Structure formats: C-alpha cells, structure tokens
Amino acid sequence: MNTLAASSCFRFRSRPALLLAIPVALALLAAGCRDEEKPTAAATTDAASPWPAVAWPLAEDPALEKRIDELMAKMTVEEKVGQIVQGDIASLTPEDVRKYRLGSVLAGGNSDPGGKYNATPAQWLALADAFYEASMDTSTGGKAIPILFGIDAVHGQSNIVGATLFPHNIGLGATRNPDLMEKIGKVTAVETRTTGMEWAFAPTVAVPQDDRWGRTYEGYSESPEVVASFAGRMVEGLQGKAGAPDFLDGSHVMVSVKHFLGDGGTTGGKDQGDTKISEAELARIHNAGYPPAIAAGAQTVMASFNSVNGEKMHGNRHLLTEVLKGRMNFGGFVVGDWNGHGQVKGCTNDNCPATIVAGLDMAMAPDSWKGFYETAVAAVKAGTLPMERLDDAVRRILRVKFRLGLFEAGKPSQRPLGGKFELLGAPEHRAVARQAVRESLVLLKNQGGVLPLDPHKNILVAGDGANDVGKQSGGWTLNWQGTGTTRADYPNADSIWEGLQAQVKAAGGKAELAVDGKYKQKPDAAIVVFGENPYAEFQGDIATLLYNPGNDSDLELIKRLKADGIPVVAVFLSGRPLWMNREINAADAFVAAWLPGSEGEGIADVLLRKSDGGVQHDFKGKLGFSWPRTAVQYANNVGQKDYDPQFAFGFGLTYADKGDLAPLPEDSGVSGEQSASGVFFAKGKPSVGLALQLSSASQANMPATTMPAALADGSLKLSAVDYKAQEDARRLQWSGSTAAKLALASGTPLDISRESNGDVQLQLTLRRDSAITAPVWLGVGCGEGCSGRVDLHKTLAALPQGQWKVVGVPLKCFVKAGADVSKLTQVPVLESAAALDLSVSRIALGALNEAEATADCPVQ
Ligand code: BGC
Ligand code: BGC
C-alpha cells in the first residue's frame, strides 16, 4: 500500500467507532484503504497477482499532510466537491470558478480562448491568469485553492501557435531512444509553462494491438516492452526526477498517464470499445507503461473510455482502486476522460457519483460540470457518495497542488516561464524535435541504393504531403482533428519540401516543388510525400488497412514518374502501418515517416547526402509496429503465435544494408468495397450497407438506385450532378406540392453514441440552388418516437446560392431533439414541404472546425 494513502487510511482506522458504520467501511475500500488484518479478495491473491507492486517514489510528508488537514477542516462539502470537478474552457468561465470553486479546468482539443484555434500565446496566458485569479479570489466566499489547468500537450504544446511539434508517439517509438524521450518531455514542459498551464494530458502509454484504431499513432509501440522503456522517461522529462530539487517546479508540468486501462486492446480497434481479455494479459500487455510511470512519480492517471470485459473503466473499482491505487501504490489522483463517467451504467454526464465511488478522483465534465457538481453535492448529503471517499479524492488532489507549489506560485504569468514566448519553437527545442524526426524514419526499401540522394542534382518534390505542415503534424495539432490549418499557423516549422529545398539549394543543386508531379524540368530523382490526412480518436477508426480506399492517385503519381524514367523515393506519412505493397513495389525507396511534426527538415537530413558525398545521418528507426502483409492483417503483433507480417517488428534498413526487395504480392485481401467509417455518402454513392430512399405521404421508402429517380407524385426528384468529378453528387428537387424526404437507410442499426459525445457534427457538403424561406429538416431516425431533427433553413438561406459549402449540425442537437443515436436506421433524413433545389456531394461525420456553417440547435 502506498505510504500516503496509508497515512489517510491510518487516520480513519484510528477512529474505531467510525469503522463500525458500514458506509464508512465501504468508503475505506473505495478509497483504496484495506484493513491489513482482514485482507480483501484482492489482497489474498497478491502472491499470484499479475499486477506488480510498485514503489511510489515520494516519501510521506507530514508537513504537507498537516497543511492539507488544516485546509480540509475548513472546507464545506460544496468546496470539496468543487475540487473534484473539471470543466472545459468552452463551457466554463472564471466567474463560474469563483462561484463554484472548481478544482480544475481543461482546454479540450477544440476549445480555445475566444473560440479561435489559432489564438495567440498571450491570449492563452491571459486566460490561465483569469482562471487562476478566480480560484484565489475569496471576495464572494470560499477558500483560496489554486486551480489546475490541463491541456493536451501530447506532441509538444501542440495546441499553441508557434510551439515545437514533436513527432507523434508512433514515430518516437521507432527511435527506440528513451534518453530522447526525457529531452522531449522537458522541452514540452517548458513550452507548456510559457502559456500558463501546469498539466499535460500525456504521455499516452496505450499498447495498440489493432492498427485500425484511430489512436494507434498516440501509442509508442505494439510492444509492451518498448512502451515500458519510454513511459518512465517521458514522465521524468515532463515532471522532473522525483526527489530532485526541480521536481514539479516552474519549469516542469505534471503528467496524465493515459488511458487506464486497456485502451489499445478493444475489439476491432474500435475507439472507446470493449477490451475482452484475461487479467493476466491485461496486466502483461496494456499495463506495461504504468509501473515505470508510477515509479517515476506520475501525479495523475487518466481513466479510459473503454470497457474491460464489458465494464466501463470509469466505473471499474477493482482496477482503479484495488489495482492502481492499492496494489500499484499510485499516490497521485485519477482524472476522468471527456464525459467518460457518463458512459458508466446508470450514469449520465450530469450525474455519476458511482465513478467517484469506483475510484475516480476528478471528473472531466467539460460541458456537464454544473450538473455533475450539483448531483455530487446531493449524493454526499444523501450518503451515496461517502464523505470519506470524497475526502480521499480531495486530499489526493490537494497533495498534487501542494507538490506543484501552486499555493505559492502566484498567477501563471508571474511564474518563472510565464510569458517567455520566445521559448515556443526556440531553436534549441526545434533541434531536439529534428533529431527525433531523423531517428524516427524507418527505411523499408532502398533498391539499388537509390538513397541517399545527391543534393547537387535536380530533385523533384511531389505529393500532397510535401508542403503541408498540418498534414505532416497529424491530429491534436492546433485543434482536435488537426484539420483546416494554414501555413501561417506554423511560424516555427519547416515543411518537408522546405527542408529539402534549403539543403539542395545550399549544396548548389536544383529543387522543384510540384505537388501533382508535373515538373517543368525533368529531374534526376523524385521524392513523393503522401499519406493519411489528419484525424484523431474515433474519427480515425478505419475498416481495413487499405490506404485511401477507392483513390489510387498517389500510386498513379509514383507510377507516372517511374514511367518517365525517374527514380522515385516514397515518403509515407501515416498514423499507423497500412497495406502499402503496391506503392512499395512501384517506388525505388520507401520510407515510413509517421507524423513528424514541425521539423520537416529532419527528413532532408537523412535522405540527402552531404555535399562531399558522405552520409549526413543514417537511418536509425526500427518498426515499433509490425507492417502488414495484407490490408486485413489488422492485429498481427510481435510475439503472437501466427505472427507473419510483411516487415517484422524491429525491421528498419540502414545505409549499410542492401536495400533491394523482390516484388511483394499485390493482393490486398479485401473483398468488396469497404467504407470509410463515419462517411455515409460520398462520390455519388451511399456507403456500404446504406441505401438512398425517397418518401412522401403517397409512397414510402422508394429505393433510388438508378438516376434519375422520382416519386410518382412528383414531389421529389433525384438526379446526378458533378461537383469535383463526374456524377459525384446528387441534385434534389422538391416541387413543393407535398412534403417529401430523402433518407439514407441502413439495414443494420448504426450506433453513433460515442461520436455524439463532444462537438462532432453531421456534415453535408452541399450547394443551394434556390431561395429558401420555409423549414428544411435534417434529421436522424430509428422509427417512431426515436427520431430527432433540426430545421436548417436559416443556415442554408445564409449560404451563397450556387456555391458548395460544408454545413454541419452537432450530433448533440439530434440527441436534444429526441433521437436515440445508439440504433439509427436513417442517417440522415432530409425533408421539405416547400419547393427547394439542393445538391449534395458528401454526408459524413466531421469536426466543428471542418464546417463552413454550423446550425445551432433550433430543436423542434
Ligand atoms: C481524449 C483524451 C484527452 C481529452 C481532453 C478525450 O476525448 O480521449 O485523450 O486528453 O479528450 O481533450
Ligand atoms: C474535444 C476533445 C475531446 C472530444 C471527445 C472534442 O469536442 O475537443 O478534446 O477529446 O470532443 O469526444
């Protein structure tokens, strides 16, 4: 048992009279306190326990405990509950903090000062100051307890313009360089402090087992050993070394090791899904990163969205309390994930004392903080949330605040690094990131030793990843999905092209950029940079390991250049290994570059020779994820019985190796067409499993399989039109004679409840070709009584006529309007009773910032 928890347990035990009360005994269990004489079931299995006993590195500090005692003795129930609640800056104001005395605030991926994804560092710092000052302001009552401000600094302080952007974890894993992790953590901490936050929601120590998972790139490796070798070092980089004088000082931030537990093991690689696994395997694979992180003094652990064997982690008392805080001696506090508590059985986002009883210490209740707070206060008063459990949670949170020295630190802008914005993207920081880029590159093929290229020659750089810092940085960059940014948002960065161009120019060679490969002067060699577009979380979940299903333009580009007799080097940007056999065959050299971040020049460092002809930097990267042989080899991981990848875990050529490769088989293993998840209609076709249907009062569910199609009463007509390609869109013409609708119907019910948590939208790429004055309903449905729709007509009327625009409706709006989003059979339904002319080219889920117009929730 950890010494600090033991001290609070001891305090309870020293009041024997209380122990007689059953609720208190339960609370002690919930708090991780066990009576040594009466071992619980978990304690009796210790000898055979798959969970390691970990040594928490911080000795009990009686002076600190005394300060906490004194403070807590004066706190009301309301103030205590306030400490265990974290709201999001998009839904919480400093005024709220002053009033409700909340313990913490976060900035979610899409939450920014003033709602601007590219807000300035000064605006971030001012916001941090405002929240801090509110938490210390006692003019309207309450105790002064400094607030904690958490942010997803997951690859550098990646929400802030100008920050150094490190490769995502998948790239770092390929470096196999734990020393480098510590440096990266340190730089990230420093840059995070400049903008006022003291808490990074990192590192992710997931051990992704199915590469279809949209968060694969957040993990270092599929191998528990690699993850374990990185976790503690990253924690030490971010927080400093436990026991050292600079531990958790003003140049460090505290961590959230996430997501506990089993996030990388869900069935089918479904985000927030269920991890079906034995306890021994759960401990061996998915827990690997936690013991080293705890031993390094990690101050917080984030509970995961997923279930383990059917039970949501936010309600899993055994794992949160007995295993993490008990057996593994975790002496920090457990924070929840974004409304993760709301998914616990019997809970809603606004009401979930059960999660605290299970062992969560702070709920991440972004937009639900008020309801969560009020129901938790009521639960404490009713005794269903035991006071002792609440006290333990508050004590754990206060310990962390004292350890961080927050009570003495002053406001964020007055702390040692507050406002030192020159440190964002400082040259010495970028040098660390550039080293990480170099070391993360994995060379899979080098036919005839085509690499390294001679910088004196004429080099063509092509592909849509060549000159796009947003694309090379991936998700969790300036906004949640990492989409919709521009070059100007990255003042301290080099695109891959810019890095190559600078070095070729310096050497006296010639570099030409032609994204489409249409060069002006025939080059001596071409570098084609291509790959996945940014995504995060479930939006990145895919059905197979096919790259861009249905669109072979990158392969064609490589082939076209080869056909011109040009040697081609393929540089592949991705958040996971994908089936690439055709591209690997087509190109002379193939480099897996992952998601390198701001330092595109790290790629030139390795791909180009020195001016004198020697190697500048050799390839060091080794696969941390097995590379698939087919697009259906999703979960083939090192150490498994049937292990048979195309390139094995640990593979990676160097310049000393002979890089020739015989042609690889080109059968993807995928039969039929696969749909991208979250896309309902694209390129003129409904996704697999969906069908277009037209209905009016006189004719229900008429299939519209061939174009044109029309209802017999003439109320709605559907025809094919062109947007970006021939017949890739549909024109809908309502006559106005009677109400009629178009639906995308699904045979099997679709569950988009997890997508509805947050600000994900249903988005239509459309063009309005008529005036709009009457309601136009966009809805989702699952039959009588479970549909929800919103009137889009004001949003549509405000769009310019005749222009394609992306219009979004937050999924939340459909829920508010009464839809049960867990079993939809129609996504969406578009309905009008008035005359209307509208063309639609795409219907899909998307992030807030991807919409050009967003409907608010004018619920019917
Ligand atoms: C993610 C976490 C993240 C949090 C705050 C969640 O959806 O799962 O990794 O830290 O949001 O943005
Ligand atoms: C937030 C993310 C969060 C996600 C969860 C988004 O709106 O910006 O931080 O992780 O919702 O669904």
Short mmCIF file of all heavy atoms in Angstrom, two decimals, residues 670-699:
data_model
loop_
_atom_site.label_atom_id
_atom_site.label_comp_id
_atom_site.label_asym_id
_atom_site.label_seq_id
_atom_site.Cartn_x
_atom_site.Cartn_y
_atom_site.Cartn_z
N VAL A 670 -8.72 -7.73 -49.30
CA VAL A 670 -10.02 -7.12 -49.03
C VAL A 670 -10.97 -7.49 -50.16
O VAL A 670 -10.66 -7.27 -51.32
CB VAL A 670 -9.92 -5.59 -48.94
CG1 VAL A 670 -11.31 -4.96 -48.77
CG2 VAL A 670 -9.01 -5.19 -47.79
N SER A 671 -12.11 -8.08 -49.80
CA SER A 671 -13.07 -8.38 -50.86
C SER A 671 -14.21 -7.38 -50.75
O SER A 671 -14.63 -7.01 -49.66
CB SER A 671 -13.60 -9.80 -50.71
OG SER A 671 -13.96 -10.02 -49.38
N GLY A 672 -14.71 -6.94 -51.89
CA GLY A 672 -15.79 -5.95 -51.88
C GLY A 672 -15.26 -4.59 -51.51
O GLY A 672 -14.10 -4.42 -51.17
N GLU A 673 -16.14 -3.65 -51.59
CA GLU A 673 -15.71 -2.29 -51.32
C GLU A 673 -15.88 -1.99 -49.83
O GLU A 673 -16.87 -2.37 -49.24
CB GLU A 673 -16.56 -1.33 -52.14
CG GLU A 673 -15.84 -0.04 -52.42
CD GLU A 673 -16.71 0.88 -53.24
OE1 GLU A 673 -17.47 0.36 -54.07
OE2 GLU A 673 -16.62 2.07 -53.03
N GLN A 674 -14.96 -1.36 -49.25
CA GLN A 674 -15.05 -1.04 -47.82
C GLN A 674 -15.35 0.43 -47.66
O GLN A 674 -14.82 1.26 -48.36
CB GLN A 674 -13.73 -1.36 -47.13
CG GLN A 674 -13.32 -2.80 -47.25
CD GLN A 674 -14.07 -3.70 -46.29
OE1 GLN A 674 -14.63 -3.22 -45.31
NE2 GLN A 674 -14.08 -4.98 -46.58
N SER A 675 -16.18 0.73 -46.70
CA SER A 675 -16.49 2.14 -46.49
C SER A 675 -15.60 2.71 -45.41
O SER A 675 -15.20 2.03 -44.49
CB SER A 675 -17.94 2.27 -46.08
OG SER A 675 -18.19 1.47 -44.95
N ALA A 676 -15.30 3.97 -45.58
CA ALA A 676 -14.56 4.67 -44.53
C ALA A 676 -15.54 4.91 -43.39
O ALA A 676 -16.70 5.24 -43.63
CB ALA A 676 -14.06 6.00 -45.07
N SER A 677 -15.11 4.73 -42.16
CA SER A 677 -16.08 4.89 -41.09
C SER A 677 -16.44 6.36 -40.93
O SER A 677 -15.62 7.24 -41.13
CB SER A 677 -15.54 4.30 -39.79
OG SER A 677 -14.56 5.11 -39.26
N GLY A 678 -17.67 6.61 -40.60
CA GLY A 678 -18.12 7.99 -40.41
C GLY A 678 -18.50 8.67 -41.71
O GLY A 678 -18.84 9.84 -41.72
N VAL A 679 -18.41 7.95 -42.84
CA VAL A 679 -18.83 8.55 -44.12
C VAL A 679 -20.10 7.83 -44.57
O VAL A 679 -20.14 6.61 -44.64
CB VAL A 679 -17.73 8.39 -45.20
CG1 VAL A 679 -18.20 8.97 -46.52
CG2 VAL A 679 -16.45 9.05 -44.74
N PHE A 680 -21.15 8.58 -44.82
CA PHE A 680 -22.42 7.95 -45.18
C PHE A 680 -22.69 8.04 -46.69
O PHE A 680 -23.32 7.18 -47.26
CB PHE A 680 -23.57 8.60 -44.39
CG PHE A 680 -23.33 8.56 -42.91
CD1 PHE A 680 -23.12 9.72 -42.18
CD2 PHE A 680 -23.27 7.34 -42.24
CE1 PHE A 680 -22.88 9.66 -40.81
CE2 PHE A 680 -23.03 7.27 -40.87
CZ PHE A 680 -22.83 8.45 -40.16
N PHE A 681 -22.21 9.10 -47.28
CA PHE A 681 -22.43 9.27 -48.72
C PHE A 681 -21.24 10.04 -49.28
O PHE A 681 -20.83 11.07 -48.73
CB PHE A 681 -23.73 10.06 -48.95
CG PHE A 681 -24.07 10.23 -50.40
CD1 PHE A 681 -24.82 9.28 -51.08
CD2 PHE A 681 -23.64 11.36 -51.10
CE1 PHE A 681 -25.13 9.43 -52.43
CE2 PHE A 681 -23.96 11.53 -52.45
CZ PHE A 681 -24.70 10.56 -53.11
N ALA A 682 -20.65 9.51 -50.35
CA ALA A 682 -19.52 10.22 -50.97
C ALA A 682 -19.37 9.75 -52.40
O ALA A 682 -19.74 8.62 -52.74
CB ALA A 682 -18.23 9.95 -50.19
N LYS A 683 -18.82 10.61 -53.24
CA LYS A 683 -18.54 10.29 -54.64
C LYS A 683 -19.75 9.70 -55.35
O LYS A 683 -19.66 8.73 -56.10
CB LYS A 683 -17.36 9.32 -54.72
CG LYS A 683 -16.11 9.87 -54.06
CD LYS A 683 -14.93 8.96 -54.30
CE LYS A 683 -13.80 9.28 -53.36
NZ LYS A 683 -13.62 8.34 -52.27
N GLY A 684 -20.91 10.23 -55.02
CA GLY A 684 -22.12 9.82 -55.72
C GLY A 684 -22.73 8.52 -55.22
O GLY A 684 -23.68 8.03 -55.81
N LYS A 685 -22.14 7.97 -54.15
CA LYS A 685 -22.65 6.66 -53.70
C LYS A 685 -22.87 6.62 -52.20
O LYS A 685 -22.05 7.14 -51.42
CB LYS A 685 -21.61 5.58 -54.03
CG LYS A 685 -21.76 4.99 -55.41
CD LYS A 685 -20.91 3.74 -55.57
CE LYS A 685 -19.47 3.99 -55.26
NZ LYS A 685 -18.43 3.63 -56.07
N PRO A 686 -23.94 5.96 -51.78
CA PRO A 686 -24.07 5.71 -50.34
C PRO A 686 -22.98 4.73 -49.92
O PRO A 686 -22.53 3.91 -50.73
CB PRO A 686 -25.44 5.03 -50.20
CG PRO A 686 -26.10 5.13 -51.52
CD PRO A 686 -25.05 5.38 -52.56
N SER A 687 -22.54 4.79 -48.68
CA SER A 687 -21.53 3.86 -48.21
C SER A 687 -22.13 2.46 -48.12
O SER A 687 -23.35 2.30 -48.09
CB SER A 687 -21.01 4.29 -46.84
OG SER A 687 -20.30 5.48 -46.99
N VAL A 688 -21.23 1.47 -48.04
CA VAL A 688 -21.66 0.08 -47.98
C VAL A 688 -22.68 -0.10 -46.84
O VAL A 688 -22.47 0.40 -45.74
CB VAL A 688 -20.43 -0.84 -47.73
CG1 VAL A 688 -20.86 -2.28 -47.57
CG2 VAL A 688 -19.45 -0.69 -48.88
N GLY A 689 -23.77 -0.77 -47.15
CA GLY A 689 -24.78 -1.02 -46.12
C GLY A 689 -25.87 0.03 -46.06
O GLY A 689 -26.83 -0.12 -45.33
N LEU A 690 -25.71 1.12 -46.84
CA LEU A 690 -26.71 2.17 -46.83
C LEU A 690 -27.39 2.25 -48.19
O LEU A 690 -26.80 1.90 -49.21
CB LEU A 690 -26.06 3.53 -46.50
CG LEU A 690 -25.39 3.67 -45.14
CD1 LEU A 690 -24.73 5.03 -45.02
CD2 LEU A 690 -26.40 3.50 -44.02
N ALA A 691 -28.63 2.73 -48.19
CA ALA A 691 -29.36 2.87 -49.46
C ALA A 691 -30.15 4.17 -49.46
O ALA A 691 -30.67 4.60 -48.44
CB ALA A 691 -30.31 1.69 -49.63
N LEU A 692 -30.22 4.79 -50.64
CA LEU A 692 -31.00 6.03 -50.79
C LEU A 692 -32.47 5.69 -50.98
O LEU A 692 -32.81 4.86 -51.82
CB LEU A 692 -30.51 6.80 -52.02
CG LEU A 692 -29.24 7.64 -51.90
CD1 LEU A 692 -28.89 8.22 -53.27
CD2 LEU A 692 -29.45 8.78 -50.89
N GLN A 693 -33.32 6.36 -50.23
CA GLN A 693 -34.76 6.12 -50.37
C GLN A 693 -35.51 7.44 -50.40
O GLN A 693 -35.16 8.37 -49.68
CB GLN A 693 -35.28 5.30 -49.18
CG GLN A 693 -34.69 3.90 -49.12
CD GLN A 693 -35.16 3.14 -47.88
OE1 GLN A 693 -35.69 3.72 -46.95
NE2 GLN A 693 -34.97 1.83 -47.90
N LEU A 694 -36.57 7.48 -51.21
CA LEU A 694 -37.42 8.68 -51.28
C LEU A 694 -38.79 8.34 -50.71
O LEU A 694 -39.29 7.24 -50.90
CB LEU A 694 -37.59 9.13 -52.73
CG LEU A 694 -36.32 9.32 -53.57
CD1 LEU A 694 -36.69 9.83 -54.96
CD2 LEU A 694 -35.38 10.30 -52.89
N SER A 695 -39.38 9.30 -50.01
CA SER A 695 -40.71 9.05 -49.44
C SER A 695 -41.56 10.31 -49.48
O SER A 695 -41.04 11.42 -49.30
CB SER A 695 -40.63 8.63 -47.98
OG SER A 695 -39.83 7.49 -47.81
N SER A 696 -42.87 10.10 -49.67
CA SER A 696 -43.84 11.15 -49.42
C SER A 696 -45.07 10.44 -48.87
O SER A 696 -45.06 9.22 -48.70
CB SER A 696 -44.18 11.91 -50.70
OG SER A 696 -44.90 11.05 -51.57
N ALA A 697 -46.15 11.18 -48.60
CA ALA A 697 -47.32 10.56 -47.99
C ALA A 697 -47.85 9.43 -48.86
O ALA A 697 -48.36 8.42 -48.37
CB ALA A 697 -48.40 11.61 -47.77
N SER A 698 -47.72 9.55 -50.19
CA SER A 698 -48.33 8.55 -51.06
C SER A 698 -47.39 7.39 -51.41
O SER A 698 -47.81 6.44 -52.06
CB SER A 698 -48.82 9.23 -52.35
OG SER A 698 -47.72 9.85 -52.99
N GLN A 699 -46.14 7.46 -51.02
CA GLN A 699 -45.18 6.41 -51.43
C GLN A 699 -44.05 6.36 -50.40
O GLN A 699 -43.31 7.33 -50.26
CB GLN A 699 -44.61 6.77 -52.81
CG GLN A 699 -44.00 5.62 -53.56
CD GLN A 699 -43.53 6.07 -54.94
OE1 GLN A 699 -43.64 7.25 -55.30
NE2 GLN A 699 -43.01 5.15 -55.72
#
